[in-house]
Each structure stands twice: as structure tokens, then as C-alpha cells.
């Protein structure tokens, strides 16, 4: 009944027989009275000091203990002086001799009987317990009523500090226990009806407290309200399942069964004799949760559900959740927050320990068990010496109790196992940088960084809404630079909050420099770099080498095969190393066979490589192997997609093999999956001896631009390496870089820019003696001439390209040039020649075994046939081209072919089909960018006009006109003429 633990016997408030002159209250606001006159108790901190002394019941409290009680782990610099000031002020208002100094601390002594409301409540509870044991329920009930009446609102109301908070929780739990005992006596004395209303209110205020629900069911049943009693059980069962994921405790279930069978003994009030039982110690060791906890809602629900399953009736031995993640990801913060939320499900207490697993000397399980045993009330003399005996005693003390453990910062599963309970009802939350796959039965949780929304919310809560609202984009840049890592965000936000003259943009600019970013992310004793250093320091030499070298590669992730190239190891050995790094949380597994670094961890890995990698040349060797792997594999994909194209024979030689594909679909899968990594690898060659290989990799990966999937990133990369080649004075590299840039500019329809690049590419190729690049540049200049309606120039360039490709034995590129030559003849009005050259080009494609480029042959022939008025034949060619383009994932070519199909249908007076295919072309996009989109819109408008949809047609033409005018295209004139009748109407 009396759940308030007693300390060693000391002179206590209430033990003296002196007349009452000074009284204190802690069961509500902390107050003092002299007789009936209030005595001022000062500021909240001063009241916190007085409360701590009163609750220690006459025992001396050292200054250090008082500082910890008032401020916890972050006391102010003048904390000791403040404690002395508060004590001095209290002495002035209290009676002489009440607040004494002793052994470097303070104590409150010499109080009269009844001077402290808590002491009075304890004495009344003891009296009630004795009366109940003697069968005197009326006296026991009266004593409990008097004890409960001493509470005046929230215990220690308005008193700050961790000690006050812990005592608030403890005394509130004791009050509820007293209340339950008094209500139990009410029912035993037949006061069922009166108890129902009080119990109804209490169960609403404390919905998860099963004992109150049990008493309400019994009160209702004895009041003749059996259906309501059973309804209470149903509500309870549903609530426990929804909130905690557990079933009602066995006693509640048994009461429901007895009500269902109308057990006659339930209707007979009895007054059982209760033997006094010493209250067990209830540890409450959880650290305070952070006030600005943000996000993680799904993890909170998930972990809360696992903890709720730790019930004796659930059949589980225990519930263990192991949280793993990189340093700074918020494992401890989340675990402590979840533990606080689950406190009510573990009424017997909570234990916490920092196992120091990331440090050089992790806590020994024997030491931790000794600490836990003391917290559970075991005397030092009763604690065994050996680990096995301590673990056995520990499990025995936890048997039958519901206690939550938070085992923070664990080294590995071996350190954790001896600390786990052995019976149902208890649960453990474990945090570690290591994934505890070998901790049997544990629910494993991999904690990732915050979402951008959560990260911004945390940053805003620390910095303040006003400062962030006016610079939202800069705030997003800051949290992105922090890699959405909670520790980094907290450090950055704290630095900004402490510097009122800084703007968010100033902080964003400081973090934008990747070389300085880790140095900027430190505040006080918090530093991101130091957090990563702990994990790196525990790696084996082979793991540390892999960590350093993998961090050198740019790109969002890395495949197992690419990582094997970087490390120059067999794939199986590489996988073992990478998986071990995943287990330490320094590397993430993005998908099976794919791995990635957190952005800040990558920066740290590179710093380690610059500092530790020996010899330093190994860094360059690792990146060279990666480039060779990508180039060799991309060249193989290019060869599958373009059989007969001799470009692959004229690329930079590679010293490390790539992957080999026999299936075109698998080859394309690799190319598009690795696209971001390939382009990142190319950009990383700028300014290095690997530049030529990087540019050739970009050329071999040209499908990334032509398909439209990665056109923008491809262009950015091409510009970067073109400038690097120019700076290096490497004409061959510059010519090829300009060739790749010309190609992507043609895809986007930027003809004037493409012309500039193609002209320069041809000049550089000639000066470098690079016939391959020269032939490609001639082909591109011919295409540009077609766009500019310079058909004779186009023919000349295509003839030059055909000659160069024939000389190199490049049958596929020759076939492509023949198809393009067809369009030059078509532009000059010679449709017969156009069809002839297109058929020649298609035949050449078939002869060399073209796959994807065979579609361009069918497309070119279809265009020529359509120009000759042979629309049915043209549609057949377009259909064949469309099938091949679709199979090879050439989305922009699909759209362009749909446009040609629409043209053919409209020419054959089928406007409905023309409109349908034009719509598909708009959805897919086309080779030629905005100018080509203008062509599609113009055609769609014409088809719609022929279908009688004049308003929609004009809308299409207006959009087309805007695109043409923005690009300075001559087609704007014809569209204005289409709109002219509407304008003059």
C-alpha cells in the first residue's frame, strides 16, 4: 500500500514532539507556513532546493547532489554559488536551526510533528495498512481518505529540475496506489454505487491503469449493471491493443470470465486480510527527453508497439529492440523519447546505462550489473562477484516485474546479452552503431537520417520560426549540407541560434564548402567529426582501407562490382568487407549489391584517405580502376546496342576489366541504373590524368542523353570536361568533349549552340589528328544544316562523314549517315533520291546487324516515303521503328516517331488518328526540344481544327507560337498565319 521507499533511519520531519510552528507542503506547490501565515519560499530554483532537502527526510544532501537535482547534466557555470545563495536566503526566512550546513552539504532538521504533509501522508498510509491487516476496514479507509486529502494539485507544482520531475512521477504513482487501495476498501464495505462515479472519472483520466478498470467492473457488477461491466472490459481490451498492443492482465481476464458466468462470490463483499508487503524499489533512471524532439513518428509507433508486446500474457520472453545507425543519427534521442512514452506500461521502473561501446573502453557487463542491482535495492554486501552470479540475481529480481531497460551505445551483442531480463513483462531498448544480427529474438531497426521535412522542422525549432521563415531556401540548403543528420542539424542550428548577427544564408555559405564542412559542424563539445572518428577507430585495417578508398568515388551509390574494382579485390571478399562496414553503420546498403555513404561520412572518409592512405598514389590508382571498370563495361553496352560501330575500338585502353553482357536488356539495365555514377565518375576526371578516359566514357554512354532520361546531367558533365580539356590544352580530349556536347544540344533543339560546338569539335579533331571525332563532327554539322534548311551544306557534310566512316570500316555510322543524306535530298526536293538513299541506309543497317540503330533506318525510310506521298508504306516503316525504339528505351525517339505517324495520318485525311498520335508525342517528348514540341502542337492544332475543335486548336497554336518565338524559329510565321483568321474575326 505504501509505495514510497524509505531511506536509512534519520531524524525525520514529523518525528519530534515540539509544538507546530513551521509547516511545509510538497504535495502540491512547494510552500511553507509559520502557524497560519505563509512564508515566502523564493524563486522556482530556490523552491527546488527546499524540496530536495525536505524529500531527503533529514539526511545531508551534498552541494554536488543539489546541483544535479536542480540542473541535471547542464548546470550553469555559477551553480555552486547559486546553491549557496538559495540556502542563505532560505535560512533568513526559516526558523533558526532548521536549515543546517554539514559535510559540504545541507539538511532540513528539527521539524515538529506534522510539519511536512508528505510525512503525515506516509504515517497515515502506514496506519491504514495496519488497520487493514487487522480487518478494521473503516479505520483503514478513514486514514487513506485523510492521506489523500493532503494533496493539493500536482506534486511539486512549478518546481524545475530533473530531481523534482522524478519525485513528481514517483509521488503521483504512490497517490494512485493509495486511491486504488481506498476504492478497494469501498467495494469491500459495499459502497458500490458511490464508487462507480469516482471510478468512471478516474478511468477516463488514467485509461491504461488496469486496476482502476477492474474495480469499475466490479462496482458496476455489484450494482446490478452486468452489461456495463462487460462493456468496460471490452473497451479496456480494445484500448490496450490499440495503445500498447497487449491483452488485459490475467486478473482482469479472470474477472470478466467470472462476470460472464455470474459467479455468486463476486456479489458478496469481503474484507480480505492483506499482509503488509515491503514496497520494491522503483528505479527511474531515464535521462530527460529533449524538449525539441522532432519527427520519427513511424519509428516511435514501431518501437512503441514492440515495447507494448512485453506483457506476461503475451507469451513472449521479453521484447528487445536494437536500434542501429551511424553516429549522430539520433539513436539515443529516439530510444529515450520512446522509453518515456512507454513508462506507464512499465510501472516497476526503468533502468538506463551508457555502455560506452563506441569508445576505446566499453563498459564491462559485470560493472553494469552491479549498478543495476544497486538501483533495484540490493545492498553492496549482497552483490555477488562473478558475472554469472550477478546476472542470475539480476534476472531473479526482475522476475514478475515490468521494467524497461535502455542499453545505450552498445559495443556488440556479447556485451548486451548478460544485461537482458529472462522473463516476460520486461523490455529492452538497445542502441548501437553495429547491427545486432546475432542478438537472438531482437527486433532490428535501422535508423536513417531525417526526411527533409523533419530536418527543416528540427532546425526551425532550434533557430526560431521568424529567422527561418524569411530564408526558407537557405534553411533547406543548410539541412541538406548536414545530410539531414540530426546531430549535424542540431550543431548547425545551435551555432546560428548563438549568433544573432548571422543570417541563415551566412551559415549556408559556410557549409557549402565541402572541404570545410566537417570543421564547421562543431559547437562546444559536440562535433560530427569526433562522432565518426569513434567508429573509424574500431575498424580492422582491411575495413579501414575499404572505408577510405570507397569514399573517394563520387556518385550516389556504388555497386558491388564497381567497389571490387576500387579495392582491387575479388567480389566475394569485397562483399564481406562492405557488409561488415554496413554492420558498423559507416556504410549503408542501398539495395542488394549496392552501397552508399552518408554525405558527411563520405567527406570524413576522404579526409581519412588524405591523412592515412599509404602510399598516396593508391588514391589515384583506386579511381583509375573505377574509371576503367565503368569505361570497359559502357563500351560493351555500346557494342551490343550498336554492332558494327567501330567507336569502341578507338576509346582509351583500360587496365581493369568490365562486366560482360550477352543480353541487350540486361546491358541497358546496367547503363540506366549506373547513369548517375557514370556521369559522376566522368566529372571527377576533370583536372586529372584520367580526363581522356572520362570523356570517352561520356561518349560511350551517349544513350543517356539521346533517350532523354539524363539529358540535363549529361550536358552539365559534358560542359565540365570540355572546359577541363580546354584548360589542359588537350585538343583530342576537347574535340571529343565537344562532340558529346553537340549531341546533347541537338537532342534539346538548341541548334545555334550545337553549331558552335560542332564547328569547334571539327577543328580540334583535325588539329589532333582524330579521324573518328572528325567524322562524328561532320555528321553533326550535317544535321545542324538540315535544321537550318541549308540542305546543300548538309549533303556536303554527310558525304564527308560517309567517306570518313567507310575509311574506318565503321559500317553502322556509315548507314546512319546515308539515312541522314536521304533527308538532305528530300530537303532539296529530290524525293526519289531521298527514298533511294534511305533504302540504301536501311540495307546497310541490316547488313551490319544493327539493333537499336535499325530503328533509325526504318524511320528515315518512312520520312522519305511520306514526303513522296506513300503514306501507307511510311506508316509501316514508322511502326517498325517505334517497336525497336520502345524496346531500347529511346523515349524521345518514340515521341518523334509518334509525331511522324501523326503527320502521315493527317496527310491521309485521318485527323482523329493524327490527334491521338500527336498527343502521345507530346506526352513522350521529342528529339529537338521546344522547337520540336512547337511542331507537334502545330500539327495537333491542325488536326483538332479539322475535327471542329477550333478553340482548342487555337490554344495549341498559341503555345506553339510562344515556343517558336522564344527560340527565334522561322516556323513562328506560319503559326501566326494560322492564328490570323481568329485574330481578325
Amino acid at each position: 500500500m505504501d509505495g514510497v521507499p524509505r531511506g536509512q533511519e534519520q531524524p525525520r520531519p514529523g518525528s519530534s514532539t515540539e509544538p507546530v510552528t513551521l509547516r511545509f507542503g510538497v504535495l502540491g506547490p512547494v510552500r511553507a507556513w509559520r502557524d497560519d501565515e505563509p512564508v515566502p519560499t523564493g524563486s522556482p530554483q530556490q523552491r527546488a532546493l527546499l524540496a530536495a532537502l525536505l524529500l531527503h527526510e533529514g539526511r545531508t544532501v551534498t552541494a554536488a547532489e543539489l546541483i544535479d537535482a536542480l540542473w541535471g547534466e547542464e548546470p550553469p557555470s555559477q551553480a555552486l554559488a547559486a546553491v549557496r545563495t538559495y540556502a542563505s536566503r532560505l535560512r533568513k526566512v526559516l526558523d533558526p536551526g532548521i536549515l543546517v550546513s554539514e559535510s559540504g552539504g545541507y539538511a532540513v532538521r528539527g521539524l515538529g510533528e506534522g510539519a511536512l504533509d508528505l510525512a503525515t501522508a506516509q504515517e497515515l498510509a502506514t496506519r491504514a495498512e495496519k488497520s487493514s491487516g487487522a480487518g478494521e476496514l473503516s479505520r483503514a479507509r478513514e486514514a487513506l481518505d485523510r492521506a489523500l486529502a493532503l494533496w493539493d494539485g500536482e506534486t511539486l507544482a512549478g518546481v524545475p529540475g530533473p530531481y523534482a520531475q522524478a519525485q513528481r512521477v514517483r509521488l503521483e504513482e504512490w497517490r494512485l496506489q493509495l486511491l486504488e487501495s481506498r476504492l478497494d476498501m469501498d467495494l469491500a464495505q459495499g459502497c458500490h454505487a458511490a464508487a462507480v462515479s469516482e471510478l468512471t472519472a478516474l478511468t477516463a483520466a488514467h485509461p491504461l491503469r488496469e486496476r482502476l478498470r477492474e474495480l469499475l467492473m466490479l462496482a458496476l457488477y455489484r450494482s446490478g449493471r452486468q452489461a456495463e461491466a462487460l462493456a468496460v472490459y471490452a473497451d479496456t481490451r480494445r484500448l490496450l491493443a490499440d495503445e500498447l498492443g497487449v491483452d488485459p492482465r490475467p486478473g482482469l481476464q479472470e474477472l470478466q470470465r467470472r462476470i460472464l458466468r455470474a459467479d455468486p462470490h463476486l456479489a458478496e463483499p469481503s474484507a480480505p486480510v492483506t499482509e503488509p508487503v515491503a514496497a520494491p524499489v522503483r528505479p527511474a533512471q531515464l535521462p530527460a527527453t529533449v524538449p525539441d524532439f522532432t519527427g520519427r513518428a513511424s519509428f516511435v509507433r514501431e518501437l512503441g508497439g514492440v515495447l507494448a508486446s512485453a506483457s506476461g500474457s503475451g507469451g513472449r520472453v521479453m521484447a528487445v529492440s536494437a536500434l542501429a545507425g551511424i553516429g549522430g543519427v539520433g539513436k539515443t534521442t529516439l530510444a529515450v523519447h520512446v522509453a518515456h512514452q512507454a513508462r506507464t506500461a512499465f510501472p516497476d521502473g526503468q533502468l538506463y546505462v551508457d555502455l560506452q561501446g563506441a569508445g576505446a573502453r566499453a563498459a564491462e557487463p559485470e560493472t553494469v550489473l552491479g549498478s543495476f542491482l544497486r538501483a533495484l535495492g540490493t545492498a553492496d554486501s549482497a552483490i555477488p562477484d562473478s558475472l554469472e552470479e550477478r546476472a542470475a540475481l539480476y534476472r531473479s529480481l526482475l522476475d514478475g516485474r515490468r521494467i524497461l531497460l535502455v542499453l545505450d551505445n552498445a559495443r556488440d551483442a556479447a556485451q548486451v546479452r548478460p544485461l537482458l531480463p529472462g522473463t516476460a513483462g520486461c523490455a529492452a531498448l538497445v542502441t548501437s552503431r553495429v547491427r545486432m544480427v546475432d542478438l537472438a529474438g531482437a527486433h532490428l531497426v535501422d535508423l536513417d537520417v531525417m526526411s527533409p521535412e523533419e530536418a527543416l522542422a528540427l532546425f526551425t525549432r532550434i533557430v526560431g520560426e521568424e529567422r527561418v521563415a524569411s530564408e526558407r531556401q537557405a534553411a533547406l540548403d543548410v539541412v541538406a549540407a548536414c545530410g539531414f543528420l540530426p546531430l549535424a542539424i542540431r550543431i548547425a542550428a545551435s551555432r546560428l541560434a548563438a549568433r544573432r548577427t548571422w543570417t541563415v544564408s551566412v551559415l549556408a555559405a559556410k557549409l557549402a564548402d565541402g572541404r570545410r564542412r566537417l570543421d564547421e559542424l562543431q559547437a562546444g563539445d559536440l562535433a560530427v567529426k569526433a562522432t565518426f572518428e569513434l567508429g573509424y577507430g574500431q575498424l580492422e585495417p582491411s575495413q579501414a582501407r575499404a572505408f577510405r578508398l570507397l569514399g573517394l568515388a563520387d556518385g550516389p551509390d556504388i555497386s558491388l562490382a564497381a567497389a571490387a574494382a576500387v579495392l582491387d579485390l575479388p567480389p566475394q571478399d569485397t562483399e564481406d568487407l562492405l557488409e561488415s562496414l554496413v554492420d558498423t553503420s559507416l556504410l549503408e546498403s542501398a539495395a542488394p549489391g549496392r552501397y552508399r555513404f552518408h554525405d558527411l561520412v563520405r567527406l570524413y572518409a576522404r579526409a581519412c584517405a588524405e591523412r592515412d592512405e599509404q602510399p598516396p598514389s593508391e588514391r589515384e590508382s583506386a579511381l583509375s580502376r573505377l574509371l576503367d571498370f565503368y569505361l570497359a563495361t559502357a563500351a560493351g553496352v555500346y557494342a551490343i546496342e550498336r554492332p558494327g560501330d567501330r567507336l569502341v575500338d578507338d576509346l582509351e585502353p583500360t587496365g581493369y576489366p568490365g562486366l560482360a553482357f550477352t543480353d541487350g536488356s540486361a546491358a541497358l539495365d546496367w547503363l540506366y541504373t549506373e547513369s548517375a555514377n557514370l556521369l559522376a565518375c566522368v566529372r571527377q576526371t576533370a583536372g586529372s590524368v584520367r580526363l581522356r578516359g572520362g570523356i570517352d566514357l561520356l561518349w560511350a554512354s551517349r544513350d543517356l542523353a539521346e533517350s532523354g532520361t539524363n539529358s540535363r546531367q549529361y550536358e552539365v558533365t559534358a560542359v565540365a570536361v570540355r572546359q577541363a580539356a580546354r584548360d589542359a590544352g588537350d585538343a583530342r580530349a576537347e574535340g571529343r568533349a565537344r562532340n558529346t556536347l553537340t549531341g546533347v544540344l541537338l537532342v534539346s533543339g538548341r541548334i545555334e549552340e550545337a553549331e558552335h560546338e560542332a564547328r569547334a569539335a571539327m577543328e580540334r579533331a583535325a588539329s589532333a589528328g582524330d579521324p573518328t571525332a572528325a567524322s562524328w563532327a561532320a555528321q553533326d554539322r550535317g544535321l545542324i544544316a538540315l535544321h537550318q534548311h541549308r540542305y546543300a551544306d548538309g549533303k556536303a557534310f554527310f558525304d564527308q562523314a560517309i567517306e570518313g566512316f567507310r575509311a574506318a570500316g565503321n559500317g553502322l555510322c556509315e548507314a546512319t549517315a546515308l539515312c541522314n543524306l536521304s533527308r538532305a535530298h528530300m530537303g532539296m526536293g529530290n524525293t526519289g533520291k531521298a527514298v533511294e538513299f534511305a533504302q540504301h541506309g536501311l540495307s546497310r543497317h541490316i547488313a551490319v546487324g544493327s539493333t537499336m540503330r535499325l530503328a533509325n533506318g526504318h524511320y528515315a525510310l518512312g520520312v522519305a516515303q511520306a514526303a513522296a506521298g506513300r503514306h501507307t508504306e511510311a506508316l509501316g516503316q514508322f511502326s517498325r521503328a517505334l517497336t525497336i525504339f520502345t524496346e531500347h528505351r529511346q523515349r524521345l525517339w518514340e515521341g518523334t516517331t509518334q509525331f511522324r505517324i501523326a503527320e502521315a495520318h493527317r496527310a491521309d485525311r485521318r485527323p482523329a488518328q493524327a490527334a491521338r498520335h500527336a498527343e502521345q508525342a507530346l506526352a513522350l517528348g521529342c528529339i529537338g526540344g521546344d522547337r520540336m514540341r512547337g511542331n507537334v502542337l502545330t500539327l495537333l492544332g491542325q488536326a483538332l481544327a479539322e475535327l471542329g475543335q477550333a478553340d482548342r486548336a487555337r490554344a495549341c497554336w498559341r503555345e506553339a507560337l510562344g515556343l517558336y518565338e522564344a527560340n527565334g524559329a522561322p516556323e513562328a510565321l506560319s503559326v501566326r498565319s494560322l492564328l490570323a483568321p481568329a485574330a481578325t474575326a
Side-chain angles (χ1 to χ4, degrees), residues 559-565 567-579 595 629 656 659:
S559 68
L560 176 60
L567 302 180
D568 197 18
L569 291 173
Q572 186 58 56
D573 294 346
T574 301
E575 184 175 25
D576 291 343
L577 274 176
L578 268 56
E579 288 297 326
Y595 302 88
F629 168 77
Y656 195 93
L659 299 176

Side-chain angles (χ1 to χ4, degrees), residues 1 123-136 139-140 185 273-274 276:
M1 185 185 305
E123 290 176 358
L124 288 167
T126 301
R127 190 183 308 168
E129 190 173 333
K130 291 178 180 178
S131 297
S132 176
E136 298 175 345
R139 287 189 177 182
M185 294 174 188
V273 176
T274 305

Side-chain angles (χ1 to χ4, degrees), residues 316-341:
R316 294 188 62 166
V317 174
M318 58 182 164
V320 180
S321 290
L323 287 73
I326 61 173
V329 81
K331 301 181 294 295
T332 300
T333 300
L334 175 61
V336 170
H337 181 78
V338 170
H340 274 284
Q341 287 198 336

Side-chain angles (χ1 to χ4, degrees), residues 1-6 12 27 117-133 136 139-151 171 174-175 177-179 181-182 185 274 276-277 279:
M1 185 185 305
D2 180 0
V4 178
R6 297 286 207 275
R12 299 177 47 236
L27 301 179
D117 57 1
L118 176 58
T120 302
Q122 290 172 333
E123 290 176 358
L124 288 167
T126 301
R127 190 183 308 168
E129 190 173 333
K130 291 178 180 178
S131 297
S132 176
E136 298 175 345
R139 287 189 177 182
R141 183 172 177 273
E142 179 187 1
L144 287 179
D145 273 333
R146 290 173 58 193
L148 290 166
L150 292 171
W151 264 268
L171 293 172
W174 182 53
R175 185 186 73 83
Q177 290 175 13
L178 296 179
L179 192 55
S181 297
R182 197 264 294 161
M185 294 174 188
T274 305
V277 179

Side-chain angles (χ1 to χ4, degrees), residues 546-561:
F547 175 74
R548 294 190 299 267
L549 294 183
L550 290 174
L552 296 173
D554 282 345
D557 64 2
I558 191 167
S559 68
L560 176 60

Side-chain angles (χ1 to χ4, degrees), residues 631-632 634-640 642-653 696 700 736 772 776 810:
L631 178 55
V637 175
Y638 187 95
I640 290 175
R642 296 171 175 79
D645 190 334
R646 300 296 297 275
L647 173 66
V648 294
D649 299 328
D650 198 28
L651 300 175
E652 284 291 295
D696 280 356
R736 294 191 169 207
T772 298
W776 278 80
N810 193 330

Side-chain angles (χ1 to χ4, degrees), residues 296-315:
R296 307 297 202 188
S298 62
F299 288 110
V300 171
R301 287 193 300 271
E302 178 183 352
L303 293 169
V306 174
L307 293 183
S309 69
S311 64
S313 60

